[in-house]
Amino acid sequence: MRTVKRVHPAFRDDIGDLVTRRPVPGPAIGHVGTFLFLNHHGPQTYPANNRGLPFGPHPHRGFETVTFILAGELAHTDSAGHASVIRAGGIQWMTAGSGIVHAEVSPAGFKRDGGPMEILQLWVNLPARLKMTAPRYIGAQAGAIPSVTADGATVHLVSGELGGAKGVVDSLTGVFLSWVEIAAGGSVTFSGLEGRDVFLYAVRGVFHVEGTAVAHFHLAELAPGDTVTITADAPALFLFGHAAPIDEPIVAHGPFVMNSEAEIRQAYQDYQAGKFGVAEIVEA
C-alpha cells in the first residue's frame, strides 16, 4: 500500500483578480515525475460585467495541458484551428507538441453575467520522441466523460481505464487522469501503481491515506507501492492520476518544456518567427 510521504501546501499566487494557488512546483517539490505543474484557479464568484480570465494568446511546446472546469465556463481557441466553450464538469486536453498558440478566456455571457468559477490546469510532460508531435486538442463536456461509482466514490474518468470504463481521452503516453468525488464514509482504491508517478491533490474537503489526513489545497506526495486507498469522513473532491516515468532531463522556461537549453532557445526562435501560428480570441 502507498502511504503519504509528505504533504505540500499550495501557495497563493494570484493573477490580477484571479485567485490562484499552486502546489507544484513548490519550495520542496519541483515536479511529481511526469506531472510538472498545477494551477488551481478559484473557487471564487465573478460579478456581472467582469473582465473574465486573463489568458489571452500564448505559446506552448513540448508537453500537454489538461484543464478541469469544475465551475464556470472556459472558451478555447488555438492556432491549429480548434475552438470550443467547455462548461462545468468538462475538460480540455491539449497536446502542445511541436508548438501551438492558444487562448483560454471567459465567454461573453460569463463576462456579462458573472458567476462561480473554479478551474484547474495540469501540465503533463512528453518524452523526447513526442515533444515535436503534431498538436491536438480534445474538449469534452461533462456528459461525455465516463464515471465509475462504487463505495461512495465517483471517479470521473478523463483518460485510462477503470472498472470496465475507458476515459474520454486516449493519452499518447498511457497517462491515467481523473477527478474523484467522494461522499462521507466513502472509499476508493487504485491499483497497478508500482513504478508509476502518482499525482494526488485535494481540491475540496479532506481525505485520508493510511491514516494521514490531506486537506484541500494540499498535494500528497506518496511513497512507492502498487495500491493506494483513499477515504473520507466528509464529502471531498480530489485529482488523481498516474503515469509512466520519463527518465529524461527536464528543461523548462516560461511556456516551453524541453530536454535541453538549446531546444528552449529554438522554441523561442520558432515562436518569434511565427512558426506556431496565431490564435484568435472569438467571443462566444
Side-chain angles (χ1 to χ4, degrees):
M1 296 291 290
R2 290 208 178 209
T3 57
V4 175
K5 181 178 177 181
R6 188 170 180 178
V7 176
H8 301 271
F11 288 88
R12 283 288 292 267
D13 188 14
D14 293 355
I15 304 169
D17 61 359
L18 177 61
V19 174
T20 300
R21 295 175 174 87
R22 185 175 304 114
V24 62
I29 187 166
H31 57 94
V32 184
T34 302
F35 303 101
L36 304 173
F37 173 102
L38 178 69
N39 261 355
H40 183 172
H41 303 301
Q44 66 192 100
T45 299
Y46 274 76
N49 301 313
N50 64 81
R51 291 176 296 176
L53 295 170
F55 305 114
H58 57 282
H60 290 301
R61 172 181 278 181
F63 63 101
E64 302 182 285
T65 66
V66 185
T67 308
F68 305 81
I69 298 91
L70 300 181
E73 299 177 324
L74 184 60
H76 169 99
T77 55
D78 65 44
S79 56
H82 306 109
S84 66
V85 175
I86 303 298
R87 295 177 289 276
I91 63 97
Q92 296 180 155
W93 189 305
M94 187 185 77
T95 303
S98 60
I100 198 168
V101 176
H102 74 147
E104 298 165 299
V105 299
S106 299
F110 184 87
K111 290 192 285 186
R112 181 188 65 239
D113 301 333
M117 191 284 303
E118 186 172 19
I119 292 172
L120 299 98
Q121 186 171 97
L122 179 66
W123 291 13
V124 181
N125 200 11
L126 285 171
R129 64 182 178 84
L130 291 173
K131 284 195 177 293
M132 296 299 286
T133 194
R136 71 170 188 168
Y137 170 81
I138 298 166
Q141 305 290 2
I145 299 173
S147 60
V148 178
T149 300
D151 300 324
T154 298
V155 180
H156 301 276
L157 198 55
V158 178
S159 65
E161 298 183 14
L162 182 71
K166 185 176 181 180
V168 68
V169 175
D170 186 10
S171 165
L172 297 175
T173 55
V175 173
F176 178 99
L177 267 181
S178 67
W179 81 95
V180 182
E181 296 175 283
I182 188 166
S187 174
V188 60
T189 297
F190 296 97
S191 58
L193 307 178
E194 190 66 50
R196 305 274 287 178
D197 298 329
V198 176
F199 190 87
L200 178 56
Y201 173 71
V203 179
R204 302 174 189 162
V206 180
F207 62 77
H208 297 81
V209 177
E210 294 297 301
T212 300
V214 182
H216 62 288
F217 309 143
H218 284 77
L219 175 80
E221 182 183 359
L222 302 182
D226 185 67
T227 303
V228 64
T229 296
I230 302 161
T231 63
D233 298 327
L237 186 151
F238 58 88
L239 294 188
F240 178 82
H242 56 85
I246 299 174
D247 187 18
E248 298 172 358
I250 296 173
V251 180
H253 193 282
F256 307 128
V257 181
M258 303 301 290
N259 298 115
S260 70
E261 294 286 351
E263 290 173 327
I264 293 291
R265 290 192 295 271
Q266 187 64 55
Y268 275 102
Q269 291 171 12
D270 290 346
Y271 169 61
Q272 291 162 359
K275 294 182 179 180
F276 288 14
V278 177
E280 301 288 345
I281 295 179
V282 179
E283 294 289 344

